[in-house]
Amino acid sequence: MGQSDTIEAEEATGTKRFRAKRNAILAAASEAINEQSAKGMTFADVARRVGLNTTSVTYYFKRKEDLAQACFEHTLLTLGDMLDEAQAEPTPEARVAKYLSLNMGRFARIREHDERALAGLSDLRAMEEPMLGRLMAGWRDIFRRTRALWGEGAQGRQKDLNGARAHVLLENTFWIPAWINRYDLDQFERVEARLMDMFRHGIATKGAKWAPTMLDIEHGEAEPGREAFLRAATRLINELGYRGASVQRIASELNVTKGSFYHHLDAKDDLVIECYKRSFDTIIEVQQAGEAAGGDWWHRLSSVIATLLDVQFSVRGPLLRTTALTGLPRPVRNSMIDRSNRIARRYAGMLSDGAAEGSIRAVDPLIVSQSLMALQNAAFDMRKWASTMPREQAVAMYASTLAFGLFDDRAAAG
């Protein structure tokens, strides 16, 4: 080996070592983002996770914002690679099945510690410009490529429906890590099959119609102005994340002083807790109204879904997304997760009762209930989409994705 060959080998070894350490830092930072949010992540914590000192981390990433951006870009790149592989399949159904399978394979490797979790994208909007613009452009590209799983060139209502399908598919795969730890690794194949069965056929029986009743959940405010206060705070936290929605920003949105904020609540954690209580109380009130309504269980469940989507798309909303949990102290976070799980179990009960009477397909109620949680949770992000059409049509189209499956075009026909 000549001198030039030796130099090239040394450079290649150095580059490989550099990339390996950089990737380890990215993986550790992604974990920190998922646990603490992008703004809550610190260089010191990331360094501790990879066994380095803080100065060593800054050698690879000069600022914390640069590190967060790199984590989000890695997530977007990974999603894009999976979508490219799925797009090679011949039909929309085969493409969706492939994309789901690729995600489940990734979760299995994470369980076996062969791969690290990606940074969730819920904090992406809390980034500052010019990073925000680049990242949002990347996210819009992922959305378009997901929508293309159903084919290119769709226009009008069909394009709207494909957009709803893309959003529901993405949000369902993003939500899986929240509940997959309840299943052993050897059950992952079964979980994938049950999810794909729902994506193929929906939860309604063959021949069922979408004819929900909007449930009455109007009630007076216990304290004047408090509902508007919590609504505005919920919207900002949903958009910017727990740490991105500062007290000053919330106060400015409401055109009140920080002092007025603290008149309502003692601390920011209290605000998030109150927003969660408001959201959970709303969901449970709708579920209770649906359970008490007349008709078969499909009518009751579809009425619950329709009413909650209407809340998300209207000025009455939104409901607080579970992504805000990353900012809360662990005991409070666990309490909120427990209540969320009880809500999911209510859905599971309705699904089971509907299957027993024959008005709902025989689906896995524990798995499908989590998909319903993802549906209602993520609908907030589709408010702009919903505003382009009559509310009733938006609710029916978005709900059709799980009601009748991701390949039923009736909702596009009107």
Side-chain angles (χ1 to χ4, degrees):
M1 179 183 290
Q3 184 177 0
S4 61
D5 293 331
T6 302
I7 292 172
E8 286 181 9
E10 289 175 352
E11 288 178 347
T13 301
T15 301
K16 186 175 181 181
R17 189 182 301 117
F18 178 91
R19 287 176 179 170
K21 193 163 290 186
R22 185 179 185 275
N23 289 340
I25 292 170
L26 281 176
S30 295
E31 288 181 350
I33 288 172
N34 292 341
E35 293 174 11
Q36 304 159 10
S37 81
K39 287 187 176 291
M41 174 191 68
T42 65
F43 271 162
D45 181 41
V46 173
R48 178 187 58 79
R49 291 170 187 257
V50 291
L52 297 172
N53 57 44
T54 303
T55 304
S56 297
V57 176
T58 59
Y59 174 75
Y60 294 87
F61 300 95
K62 299 302 181 187
R63 301 183 305 150
K64 186 177 77 168
E65 292 76 14
D66 297 329
L67 176 54
Q69 178 184 6
C71 289
F72 291 137
E73 287 175 338
H74 177 64
T75 297
L76 293 170
L77 180 64
T78 302
L79 292 176
D81 288 344
M82 289 193 294
L83 287 167
D84 285 346
E85 190 170 346
Q87 187 62 49
E89 298 295 324
T91 66
E93 188 174 319
R95 292 171 200 143
V96 170
K98 183 67 173 181
Y99 183 69
L100 176 60
S101 179
L102 290 170
N103 275 279
M104 291 301 298
R106 183 166 58 85
F107 298 140
R109 292 191 298 275
I110 292 170
R111 174 69 65 87
E112 294 185 295
H113 305 291
D114 292 333
E115 189 172 319
R116 304 284 281 273
L118 299 173
L121 297 175
S122 58
D123 264 4
L124 192 148
R125 289 185 179 87
M127 298 292 286
E128 302 292 339
E129 295 289 2
M131 294 177 180
L132 175 62
R134 292 196 294 269
L135 291 170
M136 288 304 298
W139 165 245
R140 287 190 292 271
D141 180 60
I142 290 298
F143 183 84
R144 286 192 293 267
R145 289 159 73 179
T146 306
R147 188 175 61 196
L149 296 178
W150 284 267
E152 300 277 11
Q155 297 297 322
R157 287 188 174 184
Q158 188 64 51
K159 184 177 180 180
D160 290 335
L161 177 57
N162 289 350
R165 289 164 167 171
H167 192 250
V168 168
L169 176 62
L170 286 168
E171 291 295 334
N172 262 272
T173 51
F174 294 160
W175 184 244
I176 289 172
W179 53 268
I180 195 64
N181 63 336
R182 299 173 196 167
Y183 293 85
D184 290 327
L185 187 60
D186 66 346
Q187 287 282 290
F188 278 29
E189 187 175 339
R190 179 185 177 279
V191 169
E192 179 184 333
R194 296 300 180 269
L195 279 170
M196 193 59 211
D197 172 73
M198 177 192 63
F199 289 155
R200 282 193 180 96
H201 306 296
I203 59 179
T205 56
K206 189 174 182 179
K209 305 295 183 183
W210 178 257
T213 299
M214 300 305 292
L215 302 167
D216 182 15
I217 56 168
E218 297 296 335
H219 49 79
E221 292 187 48
E223 180 182 334
R226 187 177 179 83
E227 178 70 14
F229 181 87
L230 293 176
R231 249 198 325 264
T234 297
R235 180 174 58 77
L236 281 173
I237 295 169
N238 279 353
E239 290 175 351
L240 302 174
Y242 171 79
R243 296 183 185 273
S246 65
V247 170
Q248 182 62 56
R249 193 154 189 172
I250 294 169
S252 297
E253 177 79 8
L254 291 167
N255 199 27
V256 300
T257 65
K258 289 177 71 174
S260 297
F261 172 95
Y262 290 116
H263 167 73
H264 284 278
L265 298 151
D266 293 330
K268 189 174 172 184
D269 283 356
D270 295 330
L271 170 64
V272 179
I273 293 168
E274 286 301 311
C275 288
Y276 265 120
K277 286 181 177 178
R278 170 188 169 272
S279 297
F280 288 152
D281 287 347
T282 299
I283 297 168
I284 291 171
E285 186 178 357
V286 172
Q287 288 179 321
Q288 289 173 335
E291 289 166 346
D296 59 28
W297 280 103
W298 164 241
H299 180 259
R300 299 183 202 188
L301 178 58
S302 61
S303 297
V304 170
I305 295 170
T307 303
L308 288 173
L309 290 180
D310 185 71
V311 168
Q312 289 284 58
F313 294 154
S314 74
V315 295
R316 292 187 296 169
L319 304 172
L320 189 62
R321 296 201 63 166
T322 51
T323 49
L325 285 168
T326 54
L328 290 171
R330 188 169 295 278
V332 178
R333 188 190 318 172
N334 291 341
S335 176
M336 296 297 108
I337 290 172
D338 285 344
R339 195 164 185 204
S340 176
N341 287 335
R342 290 199 296 273
I343 289 172
R345 286 189 177 276
R346 276 185 178 268
Y347 280 132
M350 299 177 83
L351 290 162
S352 296
D353 290 344
E357 75 175 6
S359 65
I360 292 175
R361 287 183 60 242
V363 296
D364 187 311
L366 295 178
I367 291 174
V368 173
S369 65
Q370 292 296 342
S371 290
L372 291 175
M373 293 294 287
L375 182 85
Q376 74 179 31
N377 192 34
F380 167 81
D381 292 334
M382 295 294 277
R383 288 169 305 144
K384 185 176 180 180
W385 170 89
S387 70
T388 64
M389 63 190 85
R391 176 78 53 69
E392 185 177 354
Q393 180 183 332
V395 168
M397 188 173 287
Y398 196 73
S400 75
T401 57
L402 294 189
F404 306 115
L406 295 177
F407 312 102
D408 187 305
D409 289 335
R410 281 178 290 173

